Structures are given as C-alpha cells and as structure tokens.
C-alpha cells in the first residue's frame, strides 16, 4: 500500500508570491491534516479535512487555506508569502474505519521563502 | 488548551544501552491518546508507540516501551538495546479521544544521538 505522498518535496519562493502544496493520502483514508514544522515553533497544526470538509483549524492567519477533493487528495495554499512561512509542511492521513488514533505522515514539502 | 512538554532537547546514549526520554502533558480530558513519533533525518515521521489513556497497562513495542503515569500526566519512552538506527528526533504527541478530533499536539522534540 502506497504511503502518504507530498509534492513538491522542495520549493523556493519569494515574498509576496503564493504557493500550493499537494498531498495524496493512503488509499482509503478520508482524513487529511496539515502541520507546519519550524525550528522555532516546532510542529503546529494547520487544519484537517474529512470528506471534503474542513473539520478542524489551527491558529494560523487566513493566508493559509486548504481544500480536499472527492478522491481525498488535499491541497494547501499559502498566499502573500512571508519570510516566516519558510518551513517543512507535513501532511498526514488517517483511516476512519478503525480509529487507532495513529496518523501516517508524508515526507513533507520544504518551502523556502526568500 | 492541551500542552505537551519535552524537557530534554538532546540526549545521547551508547549503542546497546538503554535511554529514557521524558514527556509531560497537560489536559482536562479523560479520554485521549498519547504517542511517540520518530523523525529520522529523512524527515518522514514514523509512529513508535501509542498509548490509550483508559488502558492502565503500559504499551510495549519490541525494544520500545512507555511508562504512562496518568495521575502525574507523564509519558516517558524507554528504548532498550539502543541501535544506530534509533538516532532521530523523537516527538511526544497528544490527541483527544473523540474520533473527530484529529489534531495532534506535539512537544518540542528530543534529538537522540546513538554513540557507537
């Protein structure tokens, strides 16, 4: 079974630009959540989608948004990039049939904002 | 709000020895999960071990075991017979027990070095 796939793995943007990151969950998983990882703030929850609906949202500005498609793939978008948005963005999926509580993570997308 | 604290930013251990990583958490919930995740240099976060709060028995996975003290809100990870492949960042994480609550609250992490 393929794991969680995130694209792109690395990207460089400049301030003011926008970026879209993609996440394909494990087949059959309907919940996708996103986390931002930085050296200073650690791992912080961004949002979670389940069956195309945002179910939970972290404490991030409105520049951070996401969506989920009918095939459970998810995208997150960051508009008007700031230097502080440089981070590793992790996507995680979870199956809902049996709630073991475990999240399965992708390898992340490393965003650098110049 | 729930918080998770890992007080050891870095730890090191000799190969084949035992090491314990500390984690404390704060919550007013009675139903929750606790996790230890490992993040090697390749960056993919991998689940090491999971503990349901309602279970009194400490979870064990091969060389990994936890000491779950619910009243003290403590959840430490013991790694026995440390191996070079255990070198990684280790994150303690908390999740509410409600099935719709998928948010993980992470500690700041402990970087574990294994000395050959």
């Amino acid at each position: 079974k393929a794991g969680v796939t995130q694209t792109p793995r690395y990207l460089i943007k400049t301030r003011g630009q926008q970026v879209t990151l993609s996440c394909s969950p494990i087949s059959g998983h309907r919940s996708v959540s996103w986390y931002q990882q930085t050296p200073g703030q650690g791992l912080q929850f961004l949002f979670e989608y389940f069956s195309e609906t945002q179910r939970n949202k972290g404490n991030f500005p409105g520049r951070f948004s996401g969506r989920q498609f009918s095939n459970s793939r998810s995208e997150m978008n960051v508009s008007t990039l700031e230097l502080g948005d440089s981070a590793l963005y992790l996507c995680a999926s979870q199956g809902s049939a049996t709630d073991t509580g475990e999240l399965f993570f992708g390898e992340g997308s490393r965003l650098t904002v110049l | 709000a729930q918080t998770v604290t890992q007080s050891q930013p870095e730890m090191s251990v000799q190969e084949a020895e035992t090491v314990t990583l500390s984690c404390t958490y704060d919550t007013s919930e009675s139903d929750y999960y606790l996790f230890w995740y490992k993040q090697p240099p390749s960056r993919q976060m991998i689940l090491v071990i999971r503990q349901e709060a309602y279970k009194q028995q400490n979870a064990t996975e091969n060389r990994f075991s936890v000491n779950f003290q619910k009243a003290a809100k403590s959840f430490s990870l013991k790694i026995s017979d440390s191996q070079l492949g255990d070198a990684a960042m280790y994150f303690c994480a908390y999740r509410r027990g409600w099935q719709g609550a998928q948010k993980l609250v992470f500690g700041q992490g402990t970087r574990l070095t294994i000395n050959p």
Side-chain angles (χ1 to χ4, degrees):
Chain A
K1 205 177 208 183
V4 178
T5 303
Q6 291 188 245
T7 57
R9 292 285 306 277
Y10 302 90
L11 65 167
I12 300 173
K13 294 285 187 178
T14 56
R15 279 181 299 174
Q17 288 187 311
Q18 73 164 12
V19 66
T20 298
L21 310 178
S22 179
C23 172
S24 293
I26 291 172
S27 178
H29 285 192
R30 295 163 64 191
S31 168
V32 174
S33 51
W34 291 87
Y35 291 81
Q36 182 196 63
Q37 185 175 19
T38 60
Q41 299 298 316
L43 282 150
Q44 294 187 291
F45 172 78
L46 280 155
F47 28 65
E48 184 240 346
Y49 287 86
F50 180 82
S51 293
E52 302 180 66
T53 301
Q54 187 181 86
R55 191 161 62 172
N56 292 286
K57 188 177 189 304
N59 188 26
F60 277 81
R63 300 184 297 106
F64 292 81
S65 63
R67 59 178 175 170
Q68 186 180 33
F69 302 94
S70 58
N71 62 358
S72 293
R73 189 178 71 85
S74 177
E75 289 181 348
M76 67 163 282
N77 184 276
V78 187
S79 63
T80 319
L81 284 166
E82 301 177 0
L83 295 178
D85 297 332
S86 294
L88 180 65
Y89 290 88
L90 294 171
C91 168
S93 75
Q94 179 173 350
S96 56
T98 303
D99 185 15
T100 63
E102 178 182 359
L103 298 187
F104 296 84
F105 285 85
E107 292 186 305
S109 293
R110 169 76 65 185
L111 170 65
T112 301
V113 182
L114 302 176
Chain B
Q2 296 83 17
T3 59
V4 177
T5 302
Q6 294 178 249
S7 59
Q8 306 153 315
E10 296 185 355
M11 293 278 286
S12 64
V13 64
Q14 291 297 124
E15 192 176 4
E17 294 190 345
T18 295
V19 64
T20 299
L21 308 184
S22 301
C23 172
T24 58
Y25 60 95
D26 188 27
T27 184
S28 58
E29 304 279 341
S30 59
D31 182 21
Y32 51 87
Y33 296 98
L34 294 167
F35 307 88
W36 279 99
Y37 276 90
K38 168 186 177 182
Q39 188 179 39
S42 67
R43 303 181 321 195
Q44 187 163 25
M45 199 88 70
I46 303 166
L47 179 68
V48 174
I49 200 164
R50 176 185 69 244
Q51 176 80 42
E52 291 90 338
Y54 66 87
K55 291 186 176 178
Q56 293 185 344
Q57 187 173 6
N58 290 325
T60 298
E61 289 287 342
N62 300 314
R63 299 182 294 107
F64 299 87
S65 61
V66 298
N67 183 3
F68 174 47
Q69 301 290 327
K70 191 171 184 178
K73 296 180 181 175
S74 169
F75 183 62
S76 61
L77 173 70
K78 186 173 81 171
I79 305 174
S80 304
D81 185 26
S82 298
Q83 300 176 0
L84 295 177
D86 295 334
M89 282 291 290
Y90 285 82
F91 293 94
C92 178
Y94 165 99
R95 204 206 92 175
R96 288 171 60 190
W98 172 53
Q99 191 165 1
Q102 304 302 335
K103 170 185 174 181
L104 282 178
V105 178
F106 286 93
Q108 287 294 97
T110 297
R111 183 177 301 281
L112 178 63
T113 302
I114 311 296
N115 300 314

